[in-house]
Amino acid sequence: MKRAIIVGASSGIGYELAKILAEDGYEIGLVARRHGHLLKLQEEIPTKTHVRPVDVSLIPETRNAIESIILELGGVDLFIINAGIGFLNPHLEWQHEKDTIDVNVYGFCALANLAYRYFTKQGHGHLVGISSIGALRGNALAPAYNASKAFMSNYLEGLQKRAAREQPQITVTDIQPGAVHTAMMKGEGHFWIASPKKAAAQIFNAIRHKKRHAYITKRWRLIAWLLKVMPRCVHEKI
């Protein structure tokens, strides 16, 4: 049986991905802060699951929880890091910035490091990070969030380069969603907003084809291209 771990499985994209992986025959480790949500998800999944309620900003506890799940699974083939937080922070409140960095930078990096090192010893594996299209440019209302996603994408690219040189049986995938209808998508007026179920289906397709990178949904490629070529003076007015 194939084995997967999803960090950030209690809602949204992670929740839907867990159900898709179960349908595809995976035994799954479910990791997130909200224990009750994980237990509810566990009841909906037909395959064997392993639940760990953890806060990924607490790095030693999280690493211990992941290592114990890997032992229970007898190894892991697919490791998905979906945990993340973000705030609209027009007044630059430090606690919001710090919380974002603790989860999206320190927590993410600790998990990605653990997964890649494990795959190196194992000789194969697939690491997937759920970043954001926000990684492409800064955001005046959420500077720490976009910066943290840029860190994630660059870290994943670094691991991709290591794998290409040293570990060809390891795949590293950077998923950059646009607007997805989750608790993190605050405010009104969003366009091209996808349901978590649709986003998860496209992410699973990218995983199945071992893609190095994917925009979710696919139409966000156009926005990504515009963001990359847009002059700074224009971007600052948006």
Side-chain angles (χ1 to χ4, degrees):
M1 178 176 280
K2 297 173 288 187
R3 303 152 301 179
I5 293 174
I6 304 176
V7 183
S10 62
S11 64
I13 291 173
Y15 196 94
E16 297 297 335
L17 268 174
K19 292 192 286 187
I20 291 173
L21 291 178
E23 291 173 1
D24 198 53
Y26 278 85
E27 183 178 346
I28 310 171
L30 304 172
V31 181
R33 282 189 304 111
R34 295 175 291 186
H35 194 194
H37 288 66
L38 292 178
L39 294 178
K40 179 178 179 293
L41 175 58
Q42 190 177 36
E43 292 176 356
E44 298 180 18
I45 289 180
T47 56
K48 188 175 181 181
T49 57
H50 309 261
V51 167
R52 291 293 189 283
V54 298
D55 180 343
V56 300
S57 68
L58 304 176
I59 292 172
E61 292 89 338
T62 300
R63 290 177 65 94
N64 289 338
I66 296 298
E67 288 170 353
S68 71
I69 290 181
I70 292 174
L71 285 175
E72 289 181 11
L73 289 169
V76 62
D77 307 298
L78 173 63
F79 195 107
I80 301 172
I81 307 174
N82 178 60
I85 61 171
F87 304 92
L88 293 177
N89 194 15
H91 303 297
L92 289 181
E93 296 178 30
W94 169 241
Q95 192 61 48
H96 286 338
E97 304 292 84
K98 180 181 182 300
D99 289 346
T100 301
I101 293 166
D102 285 346
V103 173
N104 297 1
V105 176
Y106 290 120
F108 163 79
C109 192
L111 289 166
N113 178 276
L114 185 155
Y116 189 89
R117 287 166 61 87
Y118 179 82
F119 289 152
T120 298
K121 293 178 182 177
Q122 180 174 260
H124 67 88
H126 191 167
L127 170 62
V128 179
I130 310 296
S131 176
S132 168
I133 194 138
L136 300 178
R137 301 295 290 258
N139 186 329
L141 294 178
Y145 178 79
N146 283 41
S148 70
K149 293 300 182 177
F151 175 90
M152 289 176 63
S153 288
N154 275 273
Y155 195 86
L156 291 167
E157 185 176 22
L159 295 183
Q160 286 173 349
K161 294 179 72 173
R162 288 183 69 95
R165 294 173 182 174
E166 305 167 2
Q167 298 285 339
Q169 298 305 312
I170 297 177
T171 301
V172 180
T173 300
D174 180 15
I175 300 293
Q176 292 187 325
V180 179
H181 199 279
T182 65
M184 212 181 303
M185 185 56 61
K186 302 176 177 68
E188 299 179 353
H190 300 295
F191 67 103
W192 287 356
I193 191 162
S195 69
K197 187 173 183 178
K198 181 176 181 179
Q202 291 196 14
I203 291 169
F204 176 67
N205 187 59
I207 291 171
R208 197 160 49 87
H209 289 92
K210 296 188 179 296
K211 292 187 176 181
R212 291 166 59 92
H213 178 273
Y215 295 113
I216 304 298
T217 57
K218 295 177 182 179
R219 63 176 62 182
W220 280 87
R221 292 177 188 169
L222 173 61
I223 299 300
W225 178 81
L226 290 172
L227 286 171
K228 289 177 181 179
V229 302
M230 186 180 295
R232 182 184 298 273
C233 60
V234 175
H235 185 258
E236 288 176 349
K237 294 178 182 179
I238 296 176

Short mmCIF file of all heavy atoms in Angstrom, two decimals, residues 119-183:
data_model
loop_
_atom_site.label_atom_id
_atom_site.label_comp_id
_atom_site.label_asym_id
_atom_site.label_seq_id
_atom_site.Cartn_x
_atom_site.Cartn_y
_atom_site.Cartn_z
N PHE A 119 13.72 10.98 2.80
CA PHE A 119 13.69 10.42 1.44
C PHE A 119 15.09 10.12 0.94
O PHE A 119 15.30 9.15 0.19
CB PHE A 119 12.99 11.39 0.49
CG PHE A 119 11.50 11.50 0.69
CD1 PHE A 119 10.83 12.68 0.37
CD2 PHE A 119 10.76 10.45 1.19
CE1 PHE A 119 9.46 12.78 0.54
CE2 PHE A 119 9.39 10.55 1.38
CZ PHE A 119 8.74 11.72 1.05
N THR A 120 16.06 10.92 1.34
CA THR A 120 17.45 10.67 0.94
C THR A 120 17.92 9.32 1.49
O THR A 120 18.55 8.52 0.78
CB THR A 120 18.37 11.79 1.44
OG1 THR A 120 17.97 13.03 0.84
CG2 THR A 120 19.81 11.52 1.06
N LYS A 121 17.62 9.05 2.76
CA LYS A 121 17.99 7.77 3.34
C LYS A 121 17.22 6.61 2.72
O LYS A 121 17.75 5.52 2.50
CB LYS A 121 17.75 7.80 4.85
CG LYS A 121 18.66 8.75 5.61
CD LYS A 121 18.31 8.76 7.08
CE LYS A 121 19.19 9.75 7.84
NZ LYS A 121 18.83 9.82 9.28
N GLN A 122 15.95 6.86 2.43
CA GLN A 122 15.08 5.82 1.87
C GLN A 122 15.42 5.52 0.42
O GLN A 122 15.22 4.41 -0.07
CB GLN A 122 13.63 6.26 2.00
CG GLN A 122 12.60 5.28 1.47
CD GLN A 122 11.19 5.74 1.77
OE1 GLN A 122 10.56 5.27 2.71
NE2 GLN A 122 10.67 6.68 0.98
N GLY A 123 15.88 6.57 -0.30
CA GLY A 123 16.23 6.42 -1.71
C GLY A 123 15.15 6.82 -2.68
O GLY A 123 15.36 6.81 -3.89
N HIS A 124 14.01 7.23 -2.18
CA HIS A 124 12.93 7.68 -3.06
C HIS A 124 11.88 8.41 -2.21
O HIS A 124 11.85 8.29 -0.99
CB HIS A 124 12.26 6.51 -3.77
CG HIS A 124 11.51 5.59 -2.86
ND1 HIS A 124 10.19 5.77 -2.53
CD2 HIS A 124 11.91 4.49 -2.17
CE1 HIS A 124 9.80 4.82 -1.70
NE2 HIS A 124 10.83 4.03 -1.46
N GLY A 125 11.01 9.16 -2.88
CA GLY A 125 9.92 9.84 -2.20
C GLY A 125 9.49 11.07 -2.97
O GLY A 125 10.16 11.52 -3.90
N HIS A 126 8.34 11.61 -2.58
CA HIS A 126 7.77 12.77 -3.25
C HIS A 126 7.37 13.79 -2.19
O HIS A 126 6.50 13.52 -1.36
CB HIS A 126 6.56 12.35 -4.09
CG HIS A 126 6.05 13.40 -5.02
ND1 HIS A 126 5.15 13.14 -6.03
CD2 HIS A 126 6.32 14.74 -5.11
CE1 HIS A 126 4.89 14.25 -6.69
NE2 HIS A 126 5.58 15.23 -6.14
N LEU A 127 8.00 14.95 -2.22
CA LEU A 127 7.71 16.06 -1.31
C LEU A 127 6.90 17.11 -2.06
O LEU A 127 7.31 17.56 -3.13
CB LEU A 127 9.00 16.66 -0.78
CG LEU A 127 8.89 17.97 0.01
CD1 LEU A 127 8.04 17.79 1.26
CD2 LEU A 127 10.28 18.51 0.36
N VAL A 128 5.77 17.51 -1.47
CA VAL A 128 4.90 18.52 -2.08
C VAL A 128 4.69 19.65 -1.08
O VAL A 128 4.29 19.41 0.07
CB VAL A 128 3.53 17.92 -2.45
CG1 VAL A 128 2.62 18.99 -3.06
CG2 VAL A 128 3.71 16.76 -3.42
N GLY A 129 4.95 20.87 -1.51
CA GLY A 129 4.68 22.05 -0.69
C GLY A 129 3.59 22.89 -1.32
O GLY A 129 3.63 23.16 -2.52
N ILE A 130 2.60 23.27 -0.52
CA ILE A 130 1.52 24.13 -1.01
C ILE A 130 1.90 25.57 -0.69
O ILE A 130 1.76 26.05 0.43
CB ILE A 130 0.17 23.79 -0.37
CG1 ILE A 130 -0.10 22.29 -0.45
CG2 ILE A 130 -0.95 24.59 -1.05
CD1 ILE A 130 -0.25 21.73 -1.85
N SER A 131 2.41 26.27 -1.69
CA SER A 131 2.85 27.65 -1.53
C SER A 131 1.69 28.58 -1.91
O SER A 131 0.59 28.42 -1.41
CB SER A 131 4.08 27.88 -2.41
OG SER A 131 4.49 29.22 -2.38
N SER A 132 1.91 29.53 -2.79
CA SER A 132 0.86 30.46 -3.20
C SER A 132 1.35 31.27 -4.38
O SER A 132 2.56 31.50 -4.54
CB SER A 132 0.52 31.42 -2.05
OG SER A 132 -0.29 32.49 -2.50
N ILE A 133 0.42 31.74 -5.18
CA ILE A 133 0.79 32.66 -6.25
C ILE A 133 1.32 33.96 -5.66
O ILE A 133 2.04 34.71 -6.30
CB ILE A 133 -0.41 32.92 -7.18
CG1 ILE A 133 0.06 33.59 -8.47
CG2 ILE A 133 -1.47 33.77 -6.49
CD1 ILE A 133 -0.56 33.09 -9.69
N GLY A 134 0.98 34.19 -4.37
CA GLY A 134 1.50 35.36 -3.69
C GLY A 134 3.01 35.35 -3.54
O GLY A 134 3.61 36.38 -3.22
N ALA A 135 3.64 34.21 -3.77
CA ALA A 135 5.10 34.12 -3.69
C ALA A 135 5.78 34.98 -4.76
O ALA A 135 6.96 35.30 -4.63
CB ALA A 135 5.54 32.67 -3.85
N LEU A 136 5.03 35.36 -5.79
CA LEU A 136 5.66 36.02 -6.93
C LEU A 136 5.94 37.51 -6.70
O LEU A 136 6.88 38.05 -7.28
CB LEU A 136 4.77 35.87 -8.17
CG LEU A 136 4.49 34.43 -8.61
CD1 LEU A 136 3.57 34.41 -9.82
CD2 LEU A 136 5.79 33.69 -8.90
N ARG A 137 5.13 38.17 -5.87
CA ARG A 137 5.33 39.60 -5.62
C ARG A 137 4.95 39.92 -4.18
O ARG A 137 4.24 39.17 -3.52
CB ARG A 137 4.46 40.46 -6.56
CG ARG A 137 4.67 40.29 -8.04
CD ARG A 137 6.04 40.71 -8.52
NE ARG A 137 6.29 42.12 -8.50
CZ ARG A 137 6.25 42.93 -9.58
NH1 ARG A 137 5.91 42.44 -10.76
NH2 ARG A 137 6.55 44.20 -9.48
N GLY A 138 5.39 41.08 -3.69
CA GLY A 138 5.03 41.52 -2.35
C GLY A 138 3.59 42.00 -2.26
O GLY A 138 2.96 42.29 -3.28
N ASN A 139 3.10 42.08 -1.03
CA ASN A 139 1.71 42.47 -0.79
C ASN A 139 1.68 43.51 0.33
O ASN A 139 2.12 43.22 1.45
CB ASN A 139 0.89 41.24 -0.41
CG ASN A 139 -0.59 41.54 -0.29
OD1 ASN A 139 -1.01 42.63 0.08
ND2 ASN A 139 -1.42 40.54 -0.59
N ALA A 140 1.15 44.69 0.05
CA ALA A 140 1.14 45.77 1.04
C ALA A 140 0.29 45.44 2.26
O ALA A 140 0.60 45.87 3.37
CB ALA A 140 0.61 47.06 0.39
N LEU A 141 -0.78 44.67 2.07
CA LEU A 141 -1.68 44.35 3.17
C LEU A 141 -1.28 43.09 3.93
O LEU A 141 -1.77 42.85 5.03
CB LEU A 141 -3.12 44.20 2.66
CG LEU A 141 -3.77 45.46 2.11
CD1 LEU A 141 -5.17 45.15 1.60
CD2 LEU A 141 -3.83 46.55 3.18
N ALA A 142 -0.43 42.27 3.33
CA ALA A 142 -0.01 41.03 3.98
C ALA A 142 1.45 40.75 3.63
O ALA A 142 1.77 39.74 3.00
CB ALA A 142 -0.90 39.87 3.54
N PRO A 143 2.35 41.64 4.05
CA PRO A 143 3.76 41.49 3.62
C PRO A 143 4.41 40.21 4.09
O PRO A 143 5.16 39.58 3.35
CB PRO A 143 4.44 42.74 4.20
CG PRO A 143 3.52 43.24 5.26
CD PRO A 143 2.14 42.87 4.84
N ALA A 144 4.16 39.80 5.33
CA ALA A 144 4.80 38.58 5.84
C ALA A 144 4.27 37.35 5.11
O ALA A 144 5.03 36.41 4.86
CB ALA A 144 4.57 38.45 7.33
N TYR A 145 2.99 37.35 4.77
CA TYR A 145 2.41 36.18 4.10
C TYR A 145 3.07 35.95 2.75
O TYR A 145 3.56 34.85 2.46
CB TYR A 145 0.90 36.35 3.93
CG TYR A 145 0.26 35.20 3.19
CD1 TYR A 145 -0.01 34.00 3.85
CD2 TYR A 145 -0.04 35.28 1.83
CE1 TYR A 145 -0.57 32.93 3.18
CE2 TYR A 145 -0.60 34.22 1.15
CZ TYR A 145 -0.87 33.05 1.83
OH TYR A 145 -1.42 31.97 1.16
N ASN A 146 3.09 36.96 1.90
CA ASN A 146 3.69 36.78 0.57
C ASN A 146 5.18 36.46 0.67
O ASN A 146 5.69 35.63 -0.08
CB ASN A 146 3.47 38.02 -0.28
CG ASN A 146 2.05 38.10 -0.82
OD1 ASN A 146 1.09 37.82 -0.12
ND2 ASN A 146 1.90 38.50 -2.07
N ALA A 147 5.86 37.12 1.61
CA ALA A 147 7.30 36.84 1.78
C ALA A 147 7.52 35.41 2.23
O ALA A 147 8.46 34.74 1.78
CB ALA A 147 7.89 37.82 2.79
N SER A 148 6.65 34.91 3.12
CA SER A 148 6.81 33.53 3.59
C SER A 148 6.58 32.54 2.46
O SER A 148 7.25 31.50 2.39
CB SER A 148 5.85 33.26 4.75
OG SER A 148 4.49 33.20 4.33
N LYS A 149 5.65 32.84 1.57
CA LYS A 149 5.39 31.94 0.45
C LYS A 149 6.54 31.97 -0.55
O LYS A 149 6.85 30.96 -1.20
CB LYS A 149 4.07 32.30 -0.22
CG LYS A 149 2.86 32.06 0.67
CD LYS A 149 2.75 30.60 1.09
CE LYS A 149 1.55 30.31 1.94
NZ LYS A 149 1.40 28.88 2.28
N ALA A 150 7.17 33.14 -0.70
CA ALA A 150 8.37 33.22 -1.55
C ALA A 150 9.49 32.36 -0.97
O ALA A 150 10.22 31.68 -1.70
CB ALA A 150 8.83 34.67 -1.68
N PHE A 151 9.63 32.37 0.36
CA PHE A 151 10.61 31.50 1.00
C PHE A 151 10.32 30.04 0.68
O PHE A 151 11.22 29.27 0.32
CB PHE A 151 10.60 31.73 2.52
CG PHE A 151 11.50 30.79 3.26
CD1 PHE A 151 12.82 31.13 3.51
CD2 PHE A 151 11.05 29.55 3.70
CE1 PHE A 151 13.67 30.26 4.17
CE2 PHE A 151 11.88 28.66 4.36
CZ PHE A 151 13.20 29.03 4.60
N MET A 152 9.07 29.66 0.82
CA MET A 152 8.68 28.27 0.56
C MET A 152 9.05 27.86 -0.86
O MET A 152 9.67 26.81 -1.08
CB MET A 152 7.18 28.09 0.78
CG MET A 152 6.76 28.16 2.22
SD MET A 152 4.95 28.07 2.42
CE MET A 152 4.62 26.43 1.76
N SER A 153 8.66 28.67 -1.83
CA SER A 153 8.92 28.32 -3.23
C SER A 153 10.41 28.24 -3.52
O SER A 153 10.87 27.34 -4.24
CB SER A 153 8.25 29.34 -4.16
OG SER A 153 6.85 29.17 -4.16
N ASN A 154 11.19 29.16 -2.95
CA ASN A 154 12.64 29.13 -3.19
C ASN A 154 13.29 27.94 -2.50
O ASN A 154 14.22 27.33 -3.04
CB ASN A 154 13.26 30.44 -2.71
CG ASN A 154 13.21 31.52 -3.76
OD1 ASN A 154 14.08 31.62 -4.61
ND2 ASN A 154 12.15 32.32 -3.72
N TYR A 155 12.81 27.59 -1.31
CA TYR A 155 13.35 26.43 -0.61
C TYR A 155 13.06 25.15 -1.40
O TYR A 155 13.94 24.29 -1.58
CB TYR A 155 12.77 26.33 0.79
CG TYR A 155 13.53 25.39 1.70
CD1 TYR A 155 14.64 25.82 2.41
CD2 TYR A 155 13.13 24.06 1.85
CE1 TYR A 155 15.34 24.96 3.25
CE2 TYR A 155 13.82 23.20 2.68
CZ TYR A 155 14.93 23.65 3.38
OH TYR A 155 15.63 22.79 4.19
N LEU A 156 11.83 25.03 -1.89
CA LEU A 156 11.47 23.87 -2.69
C LEU A 156 12.31 23.79 -3.97
O LEU A 156 12.73 22.70 -4.38
CB LEU A 156 9.98 23.91 -3.03
CG LEU A 156 9.03 23.68 -1.84
CD1 LEU A 156 7.60 24.06 -2.22
CD2 LEU A 156 9.10 22.25 -1.35
N GLU A 157 12.55 24.94 -4.59
CA GLU A 157 13.38 24.93 -5.80
C GLU A 157 14.81 24.48 -5.47
O GLU A 157 15.44 23.75 -6.25
CB GLU A 157 13.41 26.32 -6.45
CG GLU A 157 14.16 26.34 -7.76
CD GLU A 157 14.10 27.68 -8.46
OE1 GLU A 157 13.85 28.71 -7.79
OE2 GLU A 157 14.30 27.71 -9.69
N GLY A 158 15.31 24.91 -4.32
CA GLY A 158 16.63 24.45 -3.91
C GLY A 158 16.69 22.94 -3.73
O GLY A 158 17.65 22.28 -4.15
N LEU A 159 15.64 22.38 -3.13
CA LEU A 159 15.59 20.93 -2.96
C LEU A 159 15.44 20.22 -4.31
O LEU A 159 16.00 19.13 -4.51
CB LEU A 159 14.43 20.55 -2.03
CG LEU A 159 14.55 21.02 -0.59
CD1 LEU A 159 13.37 20.52 0.23
CD2 LEU A 159 15.86 20.57 0.05
N GLN A 160 14.71 20.84 -5.23
CA GLN A 160 14.60 20.26 -6.58
C GLN A 160 15.97 20.16 -7.23
O GLN A 160 16.30 19.14 -7.86
CB GLN A 160 13.68 21.13 -7.44
CG GLN A 160 12.21 21.02 -7.11
CD GLN A 160 11.37 22.02 -7.87
OE1 GLN A 160 11.89 22.93 -8.52
NE2 GLN A 160 10.06 21.86 -7.81
N LYS A 161 16.78 21.20 -7.08
CA LYS A 161 18.11 21.19 -7.68
C LYS A 161 19.00 20.13 -7.03
O LYS A 161 19.77 19.45 -7.71
CB LYS A 161 18.75 22.58 -7.56
CG LYS A 161 18.04 23.65 -8.37
CD LYS A 161 18.68 25.01 -8.20
CE LYS A 161 20.00 25.10 -8.91
NZ LYS A 161 20.56 26.48 -8.90
N ARG A 162 18.88 19.98 -5.70
CA ARG A 162 19.65 18.93 -5.01
C ARG A 162 19.25 17.56 -5.52
O ARG A 162 20.10 16.70 -5.78
CB ARG A 162 19.42 19.01 -3.51
CG ARG A 162 20.05 20.19 -2.81
CD ARG A 162 19.80 20.12 -1.32
NE ARG A 162 20.52 19.02 -0.72
CZ ARG A 162 21.72 19.13 -0.14
NH1 ARG A 162 22.32 20.30 -0.10
NH2 ARG A 162 22.31 18.07 0.37
N ALA A 163 17.94 17.35 -5.64
CA ALA A 163 17.46 16.05 -6.08
C ALA A 163 17.93 15.74 -7.50
O ALA A 163 18.31 14.60 -7.80
CB ALA A 163 15.93 16.01 -6.01
N ALA A 164 17.90 16.74 -8.37
CA ALA A 164 18.31 16.52 -9.76
C ALA A 164 19.78 16.10 -9.83
O ALA A 164 20.16 15.29 -10.69
CB ALA A 164 18.09 17.79 -10.57
N ARG A 165 20.61 16.61 -8.91
CA ARG A 165 22.03 16.29 -8.92
C ARG A 165 22.37 15.00 -8.17
O ARG A 165 23.28 14.28 -8.56
CB ARG A 165 22.81 17.45 -8.28
CG ARG A 165 22.75 18.75 -9.07
CD ARG A 165 23.39 19.87 -8.27
NE ARG A 165 23.32 21.15 -8.98
CZ ARG A 165 23.70 22.31 -8.46
NH1 ARG A 165 24.19 22.34 -7.23
NH2 ARG A 165 23.61 23.43 -9.17
N GLU A 166 21.63 14.75 -7.09
CA GLU A 166 22.04 13.68 -6.17
C GLU A 166 21.04 12.54 -6.03
O GLU A 166 21.44 11.40 -5.79
CB GLU A 166 22.27 14.28 -4.77
CG GLU A 166 23.26 15.43 -4.75
CD GLU A 166 23.22 16.18 -3.43
OE1 GLU A 166 22.45 15.76 -2.53
OE2 GLU A 166 23.95 17.17 -3.28
N GLN A 167 19.74 12.86 -6.11
CA GLN A 167 18.71 11.88 -5.79
C GLN A 167 17.60 11.90 -6.86
O GLN A 167 16.51 12.44 -6.62
CB GLN A 167 18.10 12.18 -4.41
CG GLN A 167 19.09 12.10 -3.27
CD GLN A 167 19.42 10.67 -2.91
OE1 GLN A 167 18.67 9.75 -3.23
NE2 GLN A 167 20.54 10.46 -2.24
N PRO A 168 17.85 11.33 -8.03
CA PRO A 168 16.84 11.40 -9.10
C PRO A 168 15.53 10.70 -8.79
O PRO A 168 14.53 10.94 -9.46
CB PRO A 168 17.56 10.73 -10.28
CG PRO A 168 18.64 9.89 -9.67
CD PRO A 168 19.06 10.62 -8.44
N GLN A 169 15.51 9.85 -7.76
CA GLN A 169 14.27 9.17 -7.39
C GLN A 169 13.42 9.98 -6.41
O GLN A 169 12.37 9.52 -5.97
CB GLN A 169 14.58 7.80 -6.77
CG GLN A 169 15.30 6.85 -7.72
CD GLN A 169 14.52 6.65 -9.02
OE1 GLN A 169 13.32 6.40 -9.00
NE2 GLN A 169 15.20 6.79 -10.14
N ILE A 170 13.89 11.18 -6.06
CA ILE A 170 13.11 12.08 -5.21
C ILE A 170 12.50 13.16 -6.08
O ILE A 170 13.18 13.81 -6.86
CB ILE A 170 13.99 12.72 -4.11
CG1 ILE A 170 14.54 11.65 -3.17
CG2 ILE A 170 13.19 13.75 -3.32
CD1 ILE A 170 15.48 12.20 -2.11
N THR A 171 11.20 13.36 -5.93
CA THR A 171 10.48 14.41 -6.64
C THR A 171 10.07 15.49 -5.65
O THR A 171 9.61 15.19 -4.55
CB THR A 171 9.22 13.86 -7.33
OG1 THR A 171 9.58 12.83 -8.24
CG2 THR A 171 8.47 14.96 -8.08
N VAL A 172 10.27 16.74 -6.04
CA VAL A 172 9.85 17.88 -5.21
C VAL A 172 8.92 18.75 -6.04
O VAL A 172 9.28 19.17 -7.14
CB VAL A 172 11.05 18.71 -4.72
CG1 VAL A 172 10.59 19.89 -3.87
CG2 VAL A 172 12.03 17.83 -3.93
N THR A 173 7.73 19.01 -5.52
CA THR A 173 6.72 19.76 -6.26
C THR A 173 6.31 21.01 -5.50
O THR A 173 5.97 20.94 -4.31
CB THR A 173 5.46 18.89 -6.48
OG1 THR A 173 5.81 17.72 -7.22
CG2 THR A 173 4.40 19.66 -7.26
N ASP A 174 6.33 22.14 -6.20
CA ASP A 174 5.85 23.41 -5.65
C ASP A 174 4.48 23.70 -6.24
O ASP A 174 4.35 23.90 -7.45
CB ASP A 174 6.84 24.53 -6.00
CG ASP A 174 6.41 25.89 -5.45
OD1 ASP A 174 5.51 25.93 -4.58
OD2 ASP A 174 6.97 26.91 -5.90
N ILE A 175 3.45 23.71 -5.40
CA ILE A 175 2.10 24.03 -5.83
C ILE A 175 1.81 25.48 -5.45
O ILE A 175 1.93 25.85 -4.27
CB ILE A 175 1.07 23.10 -5.14
CG1 ILE A 175 1.34 21.64 -5.48
CG2 ILE A 175 -0.35 23.51 -5.52
CD1 ILE A 175 1.11 21.27 -6.93
N GLN A 176 1.42 26.28 -6.43
CA GLN A 176 1.11 27.69 -6.17
C GLN A 176 -0.35 27.97 -6.51
O GLN A 176 -0.69 28.31 -7.64
CB GLN A 176 2.04 28.60 -6.98
CG GLN A 176 3.49 28.53 -6.52
CD GLN A 176 4.38 29.56 -7.19
OE1 GLN A 176 4.19 29.89 -8.36
NE2 GLN A 176 5.34 30.08 -6.46
N PRO A 177 -1.23 27.85 -5.51
CA PRO A 177 -2.64 28.15 -5.76
C PRO A 177 -2.88 29.65 -5.87
O PRO A 177 -2.18 30.47 -5.26
CB PRO A 177 -3.35 27.59 -4.52
CG PRO A 177 -2.34 26.73 -3.82
CD PRO A 177 -1.01 27.32 -4.17
N GLY A 178 -3.91 29.98 -6.66
CA GLY A 178 -4.43 31.34 -6.66
C GLY A 178 -5.50 31.43 -5.59
O GLY A 178 -5.28 31.08 -4.44
N ALA A 179 -6.70 31.85 -5.97
CA ALA A 179 -7.79 31.98 -5.00
C ALA A 179 -8.50 30.65 -4.81
O ALA A 179 -9.01 30.07 -5.77
CB ALA A 179 -8.78 33.04 -5.49
N VAL A 180 -8.52 30.17 -3.58
CA VAL A 180 -9.24 28.95 -3.22
C VAL A 180 -10.13 29.29 -2.04
O VAL A 180 -9.73 29.99 -1.11
CB VAL A 180 -8.27 27.81 -2.84
CG1 VAL A 180 -9.06 26.56 -2.45
CG2 VAL A 180 -7.33 27.50 -4.00
N HIS A 181 -11.36 28.80 -2.04
CA HIS A 181 -12.35 29.15 -1.03
C HIS A 181 -12.05 28.44 0.28
O HIS A 181 -12.61 27.38 0.58
CB HIS A 181 -13.75 28.80 -1.52
CG HIS A 181 -14.83 29.53 -0.78
ND1 HIS A 181 -15.28 29.12 0.44
CD2 HIS A 181 -15.52 30.66 -1.08
CE1 HIS A 181 -16.22 29.94 0.86
NE2 HIS A 181 -16.39 30.89 -0.04
N THR A 182 -11.13 29.01 1.05
CA THR A 182 -10.77 28.46 2.36
C THR A 182 -10.89 29.57 3.39
O THR A 182 -11.12 30.73 3.06
CB THR A 182 -9.33 27.91 2.35
OG1 THR A 182 -8.42 29.01 2.14
CG2 THR A 182 -9.13 26.89 1.25
N ALA A 183 -10.69 29.20 4.66
CA ALA A 183 -10.79 30.18 5.74
C ALA A 183 -9.75 31.28 5.60
O ALA A 183 -9.92 32.40 6.10
CB ALA A 183 -10.62 29.47 7.09
#
